[in-house]
Amino acid sequence: MATGSIRRGRFGALPWIGPAVVLILVMVVWPAIEMIRTSFHEIDQTGIAKGWNGITNYKNLIHNPDLPQTVVRTVIWVSVVVVVTVLVSLPVAQILHGKFPGRKAVRFAIIVPWAASVVMTAIIWRWMLDGFYGILNRILQDLGILKEPVDWLGNPNQAFIFLMVVAIFVSVPFTTYVILAGLTTIPDDILEASAIDGANGWKRYKEIIFPLLRPALLVSAVINLINVFNSFPIIWAMTGGGPGYSTDTTTTLAYKISFRDQDIGQSAAMATVNFIVILIFISIFLKVSKWRETSS
Amino acid sequence: MKKSMRRTAFAASLVLAATGVVGISLPIAHAADVSLTMVAADYPGDGKTQQAQWDAVSKAFAAANPGITMTVNVVSWDVIDDKVKTLIATGKTPDIVNKGDYSAPAAAGLLYKASEMVSASTLADIIPTFLNNSMYNGTAYAVPDLASARALFYNKAILKKAGVTKLPTTWKELLTVLSKIKAKNPGVYGYAVPMGPEEAQAEFSIWAGGNGGRLYDYTAKKWTVNSAANVEAMAFLKKMNDLKYIEPNPAKCDRTVCAQTLFAAGKAAFINGSVFLPGWLKDNGGAGIDLGSGSFVHNDGQEAVTLGVQDYFTAYKANGHQAEIQKFMDFLYKPANYAAFLKAAGGFIPATKSAGVEAAKDPALAPFIALLPHAIFYPGDIATWPAVKGALQQSVGLAVTGNPSKVLGDIQKKALAAK
């Protein structure tokens, strides 16, 4: 009897989650299986499958001359963007949490970079940074800071820094709002009690607010980790991973292996490796959110 | 009762979801009708997409051939290779493709022969040089649609201001001319060198060709990307870069948005230009440029070359529509329809003898047609050319600012490894 009702309970949810499950199976699970299958096949450059070839694609990937520097760059990309995003979002969320006239307008303005299409944002940044026509050069020259225009996206290191700036720019709104949500959950009585006990200003933030923000911080950091690692449009629209391969991450490299080097099999191997990294991030996320549930 | 309702709701939701996802791909064509599909690259034309012209041809063709419908999907040049490849890999192979290469699908046995694509009379009208560039292992697997040749364009006003009266013909003379231009025209780059991904392979081929260098050795049957002549040519470009005679960061400078735009703004003195450059300049703010053209420069002891580029129609066997494809291709190559295609594409060199006679009288085209006998072409008949082209587009520009021999050596490694 008891087991029967549990079964019915599970089954009862299916009409509602059914379409979503089907959608996930068709749009997410099946392509992922196809991708993994492709990574073990030989695909000729026209796109025709020539059959199973074991781990050859993975061997080719490991020997790909562009891979080592791309992996290093991807690690830098993900860690710098996520850390700086959180560091910027903390004070911004704190400001938005305070009461001041026009708070609604400011809160709304912060959402804009998030709401705008990432490709659009990236293209606008590309033109602002353009060496011949960019507004940044115009401003710096008018202020007398620069004598000659600089092609900001032409030098690999400079270009990579600007890519990270844009990635931070589009990641801050989401992170800010998650932290803001965390701030609103901190009960007033705790803050009042701490004030009575003499904790004020920085001390109160360090000892009371920040520790209580940890769950929100961890969640936003892990979601950012996934987003930033997967980020294709910013890099593609601004530098195309170039000059050469000098601003690629493993995500854009997977695309280039397929469509520049014409090697779909090796590209699928790269994408599968990326997929595994994402799975690791997701398992961290699940652990973190579970930890949050038990602690709160 | 409740349980059964839930079951019904569940089943209904499944069916809804399934039709929602699968329903789109259900074929709805009538059994007797044949639907041809074509993916075509978008030529510059008069600034408008060619979709309208293709729609008009498709409509006229369908009216003249009941039972066959034609759908043409016009795709921009920078994504057409990816698009076609994705269509093939996902089992949606188009019947006809109009783009810049053919060798990989020919080698894979996916294509009809040129003699199966068009009737004997249409094939006989194709200019032999172009048909020879459409071979794979001695058989033509593509029908050329049009061709272009490159010339060295220059801004007369800039040269005049620099006191240059004679066009340079050798690398040495070019350096002298560029130093004069730099001295007298602040803010102007002597030579626009578009080595960005859009068309780095063209700029590379022209400079290498002027030093006797080629991409592929047909006798040894081997890629020669890092031959001594090619490395020397890139070293020369590097020298021009170090002297600041060319625009900064050539590896990132694409043909259209960078090089041609600089030239249109009067900020570059020399540029490699195709037949459509004068028209493009008019539509993109360069109408006031006093334009001259001549031959490309070469190293001492070498000959001047131009780069000939031709594009192709290819027909895929996947859907078995050979008879219908031939009907359409013959229809397209009828003089009136072909002239409309060329016009919409934007003043290229025709690939048929019949249209070629008219084109030779056109003062804008005649100089290019005269250059064609000295043209070098891409090794488009080698199966691995698309991969080598991709590697060149991605990296060869770095040779101009970095180490030419290492950059070309890396591309050569990729070329040899390509299958």
Side-chain angles (χ1 to χ4, degrees), chain A:
Chain A
M1 197 52 206
T3 54
S5 76
I6 286 170
R7 253 186 216 150
R8 198 166 62 203
R10 279 184 185 165
F11 185 73
L14 268 174
W16 284 270
I17 63 167
V21 168
V22 172
L23 210 64
I24 289 170
L25 286 178
V26 174
M27 308 298 284
V28 178
V29 177
W30 178 60
I33 292 171
E34 271 297 305
M35 173 184 78
I36 295 166
R37 208 176 65 89
T38 305
S39 74
F40 292 106
H41 277 70
E42 186 192 345
I43 316 282
D44 80 356
Q45 51 169 334
T46 51
I48 304 282
K50 296 278 186 185
W52 186 262
N53 74 341
I55 56 163
T56 313
N57 289 326
Y58 289 89
K59 276 189 185 156
N60 290 343
L61 177 65
I62 287 172
H63 292 120
N64 188 322
D66 308 314
L67 186 69
Q69 45 160 344
T70 308
V71 169
V72 171
R73 199 175 304 110
T74 308
V75 172
I76 299 174
W77 165 256
V78 171
S79 43
V80 170
V81 172
V82 171
V83 169
V84 176
T85 298
V86 170
L87 288 181
V88 171
S89 301
L90 277 171
V92 173
Q94 204 64 43
I95 292 168
L96 291 183
H97 189 55
K99 287 196 176 70
F100 57 91
R103 185 172 78 164
K104 253 188 189 160
V106 176
R107 280 189 173 186
F108 181 75
I110 297 271
I111 300 185
V112 173
W114 185 17
S117 141
V118 176
V119 174
M120 217 165 79
T121 310
I123 289 174
I124 290 171
W125 274 88
R126 187 181 77 199
W127 283 111
M128 291 198 301
L129 299 169
D130 189 89
F132 302 116
Y133 320 100
I135 189 81
L136 183 65
N137 275 325
R138 178 85 264 154
I139 292 170
L140 293 179
Q141 279 177 289
D142 285 354
L143 291 174
I145 296 169
L146 278 186
K147 277 208 179 90
E148 277 189 354
V150 175
D151 188 0
W152 300 101
L153 298 176
N155 169 308
N157 294 332
Q158 232 168 42
F160 193 55
I161 290 171
F162 275 108
L163 289 178
M164 292 196 285
V165 167
V166 175
I168 293 163
F169 177 74
V170 299
S171 308
V172 160
F174 167 76
T175 317
T176 301
Y177 271 83
V178 173
I179 296 173
L180 188 58
L183 283 174
T184 54
T185 60
I186 299 175
D188 283 342
D189 49 351
I190 295 184
L191 296 175
E192 280 165 19
S194 71
I196 291 165
D197 287 347
N200 273 312
W202 176 242
K203 198 168 184 194
R204 185 165 68 157
Y205 187 79
K206 212 176 81 180
E207 305 290 340
I208 311 288
I209 299 178
F210 189 74
L212 287 171
L213 274 181
R214 259 176 58 195
L217 270 180
L218 278 169
V219 169
S220 66
V222 179
I223 290 179
N224 273 326
L225 216 59
I226 296 166
N227 264 342
V228 172
F229 178 78
N230 263 337
S231 178
F232 180 85
I234 295 174
I235 299 173
W236 200 251
M238 284 179 65
T239 64
Y245 291 87
S246 56
T247 54
D248 274 316
T249 63
T250 51
T251 308
T252 54
L253 183 65
Y255 181 87
K256 280 189 182 175
I257 294 173
S258 180
F259 294 113
R260 296 282 182 273
D261 299 339
Q262 315 289 335
D263 192 340
I264 293 184
Q266 195 192 133
S267 170
M270 180 79 253
T272 303
V273 172
N274 284 342
F275 186 63
I276 292 168
V277 173
I278 286 292
L279 285 182
I280 294 170
F281 287 162
I282 289 174
S283 59
I284 296 174
F285 173 71
L286 291 178
K287 243 201 173 121
V288 165
S289 45
K290 212 175 197 177
W291 171 81
R292 199 175 74 143
E293 267 169 32
T294 51
S295 76
S296 61

Side-chain angles (χ1 to χ4, degrees), chain B residues 35-376:
Chain B
S35 303
L36 289 181
T37 55
M38 170 168 168
V39 179
D42 202 5
Y43 285 101
D46 48 4
K48 282 178 289 192
T49 147
Q50 271 180 286
Q51 189 71 53
Q53 175 261 329
W54 279 119
D55 288 347
V57 175
S58 309
K59 214 173 152 192
F61 173 70
N65 296 274
I68 312 178
T69 56
M70 181 77 202
T71 313
V72 182
N73 189 359
V74 175
V75 178
S76 89
W77 276 104
D78 53 348
V79 295
I80 188 160
D81 293 342
D82 306 0
K83 168 100 180 173
V84 171
K85 187 180 184 148
T86 311
L87 286 173
I88 294 172
T90 52
K92 292 179 197 145
T93 311
D95 293 297
I96 307 172
V97 170
N98 177 204
K99 67 182 187 90
D101 54 42
Y102 68 95
S103 58
L110 305 182
L111 300 180
Y112 286 116
K113 293 174 192 163
S115 57
E116 294 166 322
M117 278 177 77
V118 294
S119 66
S121 61
T122 304
L123 198 62
D125 193 29
I126 303 290
I127 294 170
T129 318
F130 297 146
L131 201 59
N132 281 339
N133 288 328
S134 315
M135 303 273 190
Y136 181 74
N137 276 347
T139 308
Y141 280 95
V143 179
D145 65 330
L146 47 72
S148 66
R150 299 302 163 88
L152 179 62
F153 284 89
Y154 59 94
N155 182 322
K156 285 183 183 168
I158 297 175
L159 264 65
K160 201 178 163 195
K161 202 171 168 195
V164 177
T165 47
K166 189 180 156 289
L167 277 184
T169 59
T170 65
W171 287 1
K172 261 186 212 154
E173 290 172 18
L174 179 68
L175 288 181
T176 316
V177 166
L178 292 179
S179 79
K180 285 184 190 168
I181 290 172
K182 186 167 191 272
K184 292 287 161 92
N185 298 273
V188 168
Y189 303 110
Y191 207 123
V193 180
M195 292 287 246
E198 184 180 0
E199 218 198 19
Q201 79 277 13
E203 196 67 24
F204 174 79
S205 299
I206 291 168
W207 286 100
N211 197 29
R214 299 288 184 272
L215 281 167
Y216 190 84
D217 183 341
Y218 281 88
T219 341
K221 301 201 166 165
K222 198 178 163 221
W223 288 102
T224 53
V225 180
N226 65 339
S227 68
N230 292 352
V231 171
E232 193 187 4
M234 287 302 104
F236 177 73
L237 275 185
K238 187 176 159 69
K239 190 171 175 187
M240 284 174 46
N241 178 66
D242 292 344
L243 292 166
K244 296 202 179 336
Y245 290 163
I246 66 178
E247 82 285 349
N249 301 308
K252 157 176 178 289
C253 182
D254 276 331
R255 177 182 75 178
T256 314
V257 295
C258 172
Q260 289 184 180
T261 309
L262 282 175
F263 192 79
K267 286 187 143 196
F270 290 100
I271 190 172
N272 126 50
S274 186
V275 280
F276 60 80
L277 181 67
W280 186 91
L281 287 173
K282 278 198 187 87
D283 296 331
N284 291 277
I289 302 281
D290 193 358
L291 204 58
S293 71
S295 298
F296 289 106
V297 293
H298 54 86
N299 200 359
D300 288 335
Q302 301 292 341
E303 282 179 16
V305 295
T306 183
L307 175 69
V309 179
Q310 67 177 69
D311 299 324
Y312 309 89
F313 287 113
T314 47
Y316 285 78
K317 291 194 273 195
N319 308 318
H321 293 152
Q322 193 237 325
E324 291 81 8
I325 290 170
Q326 193 180 100
K327 271 188 189 160
F328 178 76
M329 293 306 297
D330 280 345
F331 183 80
L332 182 67
Y333 275 102
K334 280 184 179 171
N337 295 335
Y338 186 60
F341 165 74
L342 281 177
K343 187 163 177 283
F348 285 86
I349 300 170
T352 65
K353 294 174 194 162
S354 49
V357 175
E358 280 304 306
K361 294 177 196 159
D362 180 346
L365 275 182
F368 289 99
I369 296 176
L371 280 174
L372 272 181
H374 310 285
I376 52 172

